[in-house]
Amino acid sequence: MIWSDKRPFTGRSALFMLIGFFGLIVAVNGVFVFFAMTSWSGLSTDGAYRKGLAYNEQLAAAASQKSRGWSAFAHFAPTEGRKGRMVVAFKDRAGHGIERLEVSGTLARPAQSGLDRTITLIGAGDGAYGADVEVPLYGVWNMTIIARRDGAPAYRLEQRLWLEPR
């Protein structure tokens, strides 16, 4: 038995036990709140509300892209270390390369912010566009490529890439 005859259980003992118990609960919750507030926020998209309001515009752009009948293929060829050559080829409905596009894009880590890379791809002929890229880390990257014609977005390609050492 915890309490002996020499030391009886009193109201004062019960008060200290209750204060200790609830004090421990408050302290543990305080630690949880501290780590929740100082760790990753969970925000993966800047301006999510604004982008959500523009959803119908996104649907119209996707329908317009589909009606063109274009297709795109992206490939990352490692050269040395974390460097490589990003190539994106655009084809029309008949399978011919599409020229005179302004092609740019981003490489972003899906689970780590601050490492995004912006790339501008230069025409290499027959609808192919390329750029030399260096990534800071191997692993999974989300690639978004936007091809513009006469300043207006004409094609959007989103693809997940797995970059690993050779």
Side-chain angles (χ1 to χ4, degrees), residues 61-138:
S64 174
Q65 176 175 314
K66 187 175 182 180
S67 71
R68 280 188 199 92
W70 292 8
S71 62
F73 171 76
H75 177 68
F76 181 82
T79 53
E80 97 178 62
R82 292 187 305 270
K83 295 179 183 177
R85 180 94 178 140
M86 175 67 64
V87 177
V88 181
F90 294 93
K91 304 285 183 186
D92 64 12
R93 189 171 279 140
H96 301 108
I98 302 169
E99 300 293 328
R100 297 183 309 277
L101 295 174
E102 300 166 22
V103 183
S104 62
T106 59
L107 290 173
R109 298 275 291 181
Q112 191 173 11
S113 61
L115 298 176
D116 297 359
R117 296 287 181 258
T118 301
I119 53 177
T120 302
L121 292 94
I122 307 299
D126 196 30
Y129 298 82
D132 293 322
V133 178
E134 181 175 4
V135 293
L137 297 171
Y138 292 115

Side-chain angles (χ1 to χ4, degrees), residues 2-157:
I2 297 174
W3 305 103
S4 66
D5 292 335
K6 295 180 183 175
R7 196 160 175 213
F9 185 72
T10 63
R12 185 178 181 145
S13 300
L15 176 65
F16 287 140
M17 287 176 68
L18 281 173
I19 290 173
F21 173 76
F22 286 109
L24 178 66
I25 297 296
V26 168
V28 168
N29 284 335
V31 169
F32 287 156
V33 167
F34 171 78
F35 284 117
M37 299 299 287
T38 58
S39 64
W40 184 55
S41 68
L43 179 66
S44 61
T45 301
D46 292 327
Y49 177 72
R50 184 177 31 82
K51 289 178 182 177
L53 292 176
Y55 183 66
N56 287 337
E57 294 171 13
Q58 297 282 340
L59 291 177
S64 174
Q65 176 175 314
K66 187 175 182 180
S67 71
R68 280 188 199 92
W70 292 8
S71 62
F73 171 76
H75 177 68
F76 181 82
T79 53
E80 97 178 62
R82 292 187 305 270
K83 295 179 183 177
R85 180 94 178 140
M86 175 67 64
V87 177
V88 181
F90 294 93
K91 304 285 183 186
D92 64 12
R93 189 171 279 140
H96 301 108
I98 302 169
E99 300 293 328
R100 297 183 309 277
L101 295 174
E102 300 166 22
V103 183
S104 62
T106 59
L107 290 173
R109 298 275 291 181
Q112 191 173 11
S113 61
L115 298 176
D116 297 359
R117 296 287 181 258
T118 301
I119 53 177
T120 302
L121 292 94
I122 307 299
D126 196 30
Y129 298 82
D132 293 322
V133 178
E134 181 175 4
V135 293
L137 297 171
Y138 292 115
V140 177
W141 289 83
N142 288 336
M143 176 189 68
T144 302
I145 299 292
I146 298 178
R148 297 178 185 278
R149 179 171 268 174
D150 300 325
Y155 197 91
R156 179 183 182 96
L157 172 67

